Amino acid sequence: MTATNRQITLAARPVGLPKETDFRLIESPMPEPAPGEILVRSLFLSVDPYMRARMGEGPNYADPVGIGDVMVGEVVGEVVESNNPRFSEGTLVAGLLGWQEYAVTDGSDLRPVLTGEAPISTALHVLGMAGLTAYVGLLDICQAREGDTVVVSAAAGAVGSIVGQIARIHGCRVIGIAGSDSKVEFIVKELGFDGGFNYKTTEHYTRRLAELCPDGIDVYFDNVGGSITDAVFPLLRLGARIGICGQISQYNLEKPELGPRLLAYLIIKRARIQGFLVTDHFDRYPQATAELGAWMASGRLKVREQIADGLEKAPAAFIGMLQGANTGKQLVRIAEHE
Amino acid sequence: MTATNRQITLAARPVGLPKETDFRLIESPMPEPAPGEILVRSLFLSVDPYMRARMGEGPNYADPVGIGDVMVGEVVGEVVESNNPRFSEGTLVAGLLGWQEYAVTDGSDLRPVLTGEAPISTALHVLGMAGLTAYVGLLDICQAREGDTVVVSAAAGAVGSIVGQIARIHGCRVIGIAGSDSKVEFIVKELGFDGGFNYKTTEHYTRRLAELCPDGIDVYFDNVGGSITDAVFPLLRLGARIGICGQISQYNLEKPELGPRLLAYLIIKRARIQGFLVTDHFDRYPQATAELGAWMASGRLKVREQIADGLEKAPAAFIGMLQGANTGKQLVRIAEHE
């Protein structure tokens, strides 16, 4: 065990797309758990779109990360020292422990890692927040039902790839929108989506969607926003449901962009838009992870990970994820699990 | 009884705000009811924003009115000839009988006029579609609850003025947005709204709304769209509900306008937008009209009518309503009730 703790802090509030210089790698003294606390060694860190919003000072659902503070992030780790009878050494835990090699916590904000036969890293995606986001967003918020046509944006990403597969399992027809031909191939050939297109090489999104969804769209699960989302509205079916999970196309804009006004479509189609945050739905973890775990074990739900090695790679992995460099879940391995 | 039937037909699809020349007043032979049919003499015609959409060819919830066809519109009238045992002569009925003095129908699309002590014209607003729209939109769609802050646009209009009063009766705090100082005075002093402002003389809508809604906005009932609606989003409270009833600011644009992208606010605030059409909610007529009628009888719900006299005045009344010339419900009197 090293005597120091490497951490990545927020060095500057990004303008537009974050740069590596917006982060700083520092070495701090190894934290020591007080009575009732535990020391957790990080194994994997998840990098996610929501972090971009937390780096800024705009209106948000949580306070921004302070300049000089450790970046916020979910980690799966191992208890290496315990002054808390609830946690024995060697226990695996997950929680918002930040971009750092070690963290001290009283454990109240941790959840157990119940990955069974699956790799422990899945606690950070399919059996973690991404999986819960997809499950709750598609089934509770969008109320996808058998026979629905479901469209999902960022379809090859951590959440979108799970959304599409849950929809298939529930008997929906699923179309994914992604940012490269290889991502489209991945979601259609590997994950079993009914179709998809590469928005970077497609000129008329609505026209392409109309070809892929000849009966219109019942459910749209939105991770992206912007012109991709605009394209969905003319194709909504009566009673359509739109779940707003993320708006990644908007997070790095230096100036807010304008778009067409879309609300009149909602009247014509008696359609609903609902924004949601997974943190409101943690009570659904047990059912969601039980179902997702079973689908994964039976091979009906496939996951792909993209892993960067070493805490120092976290900023680059995060910036790449914001640009769509990843297919499937982007993780950072901070230490090997012995 | 005249031997001819005066009708107003659609002469041309309007570009931008309709002009009187987009309508044509024609004289047709008096229609004769076949077996099973009735002849209805129109007493009042309602002019409403939805008619503008039906004059165009854009995507809509119903087919456009054809060139040369009688304009669509709701009428309250009197049965003057009956070949249908369900209707006796002299019965008052309401339904989509169009902009004309007489109509023949089998009666299947009519509803009874149950205005009690109230004027029969109220069957076309507070005890008709406007009242049902306000009732269902506020209570079912927006789920307004005691203590909520409710904002309503087009607040002095037929629907908005009822929305605000129902909200007050349900213990909400209500702020109205309207297009003249006298309308604001009307909703605050006569109807009991907690506040309001004239959007035509207010520079910063969001700032003014923030003053009037210091705790934020729980419910927004939208008749207008455009920049008025944009202004609401930054002030939404957690779990806010927006009902999209109309988008009158957009109906007469020759070119669709752009606006700020607003969906990210929905995530932060876990807010919902629901479009709705009153025609889906006719099953709520009995309860809505019973409650609205009782509130009106007890003086808790006030209505104001603005009446144009004569079928030939319908185009001007309609065009004026689209421009906000009316306070309260705009009607056209087609014949006196004897």
Side-chain angles (χ1 to χ4, degrees), chain B residues 31-171:
Chain B
E32 285 181 23
E37 291 186 333
I38 57 176
L39 179 67
V40 179
R41 186 169 69 105
S42 304
L43 300 171
F44 287 99
L45 165 70
S46 173
V47 290
D48 300 284
Y50 75 83
M51 295 166 172
R52 174 63 186 85
R54 299 286 293 279
M55 297 173 78
E57 279 183 319
N60 207 330
Y61 46 85
D63 289 334
V65 176
I67 299 293
D69 288 353
V70 174
M71 273 293 296
V72 65
E74 206 183 28
V75 160
V76 59
E78 181 182 9
V79 178
V80 289
E81 204 180 322
S82 177
N83 296 328
N84 182 325
R86 285 179 53 223
F87 298 90
S88 54
E89 284 174 27
T91 304
L92 292 173
V93 293
L96 287 165
L97 298 177
W99 295 26
Q100 54 187 342
E101 291 180 326
Y102 291 90
V104 155
T105 166
D106 68 3
S108 59
D109 51 347
L110 299 179
R111 55 192 172 81
V113 171
L114 304 167
T115 45
E117 298 298 303
I120 58 169
S121 56
T122 59
L124 291 180
H125 48 101
V126 62
L127 301 180
M129 285 215 290
L132 184 64
T133 302
Y135 186 93
V136 164
L138 184 71
L139 301 179
D140 297 352
I141 303 292
C142 293
Q143 306 203 292
R145 292 182 289 260
E146 188 177 342
D148 279 349
T149 295
V150 173
V151 172
V152 56
S153 57
V159 173
S161 61
I162 303 173
V163 168
Q165 293 181 85
I166 300 175
R168 287 286 303 150
I169 289 167
H170 276 261

Side-chain angles (χ1 to χ4, degrees), chain A residues 12-305:
Chain A
R13 302 219 176 275
V15 178
L17 184 72
K19 302 178 297 295
E20 294 215 31
T21 52
D22 295 328
F23 302 91
R24 182 167 298 137
L25 179 67
I26 64 169
E27 298 206 354
S28 304
M30 178 65 72
E32 286 179 24
E37 292 185 335
I38 58 176
L39 180 68
V40 179
R41 184 169 70 106
S42 305
L43 300 171
F44 287 98
L45 165 70
S46 173
V47 290
D48 299 285
Y50 75 84
M51 295 166 171
R52 174 62 186 86
R54 300 287 293 278
M55 296 173 79
E57 278 182 320
N60 206 329
Y61 46 86
D63 289 335
V65 176
I67 299 292
D69 287 353
V70 174
M71 272 294 294
V72 66
E74 206 185 28
V75 160
V76 60
E78 181 182 10
V79 178
V80 289
E81 203 180 321
S82 177
N83 296 329
N84 182 325
R86 285 180 52 223
F87 298 90
S88 55
E89 285 175 25
T91 304
L92 292 172
V93 294
L96 286 163
L97 299 176
W99 296 24
Q100 54 187 341
E101 290 179 327
Y102 291 90
V104 155
T105 166
D106 67 5
S108 59
D109 50 350
L110 298 180
R111 57 191 170 82
V113 171
L114 305 167
T115 44
E117 297 298 301
I120 58 170
S121 55
T122 59
L124 291 181
H125 48 101
V126 63
L127 301 180
M129 285 213 290
L132 183 64
T133 302
Y135 186 94
V136 165
L138 183 71
L139 301 178
D140 297 353
I141 303 293
C142 293
Q143 305 202 292
R145 293 181 289 261
E146 188 176 342
D148 279 350
T149 295
V150 173
V151 171
V152 54
S153 57
V159 172
S161 61
I162 303 173
V163 167
Q165 293 181 86
I166 300 174
R168 287 287 302 151
I169 289 167
H170 276 260
C172 304
R173 177 178 161 76
V174 185
I175 303 299
I177 307 172
S180 74
D181 289 345
S182 71
K183 287 182 183 179
V184 173
E185 193 180 319
F186 168 66
I187 61 172
V188 173
K189 298 216 172 135
E190 269 193 61
L191 304 186
F193 282 44
D194 297 283
F197 69 91
N198 173 358
Y199 71 87
K200 289 186 181 167
T201 57
T202 299
E203 199 173 345
H204 295 289
Y205 299 165
T206 298
R207 205 174 295 168
R208 186 74 186 106
L209 274 172
E211 290 165 3
L212 291 165
C213 308
D215 298 325
I217 297 167
D218 299 288
V219 167
Y220 175 53
F221 189 108
D222 188 22
N223 293 300
V224 171
S227 56
I228 289 174
T229 298
D230 300 339
V232 168
F233 280 76
L235 302 173
L236 294 178
R237 295 188 68 180
L238 212 61
R241 290 85 65 200
I242 297 176
I244 306 291
C245 175
Q247 296 279 287
I248 198 171
S249 71
Q250 308 298 300
Y251 297 158
N252 294 308
L253 299 177
E254 296 186 30
K255 234 184 85 178
E257 70 176 26
L258 298 179
R261 296 193 179 279
L262 301 166
L263 299 183
Y265 286 110
L266 301 183
I267 306 176
I268 301 170
K269 299 303 180 185
R270 291 77 138 175
R272 184 180 77 211
I273 309 181
Q274 173 79 56
F276 70 101
L277 268 181
V278 67
T279 45
D280 293 337
H281 302 276
F282 283 167
D283 61 311
R284 297 281 276 146
Y285 253 129
Q287 190 184 341
T289 50
E291 287 208 63
L292 291 162
W295 291 328
M296 191 164 46
S298 69
R300 298 181 77 188
L301 179 64
K302 299 191 178 80
V303 298
R304 186 187 285 193
E305 298 177 337

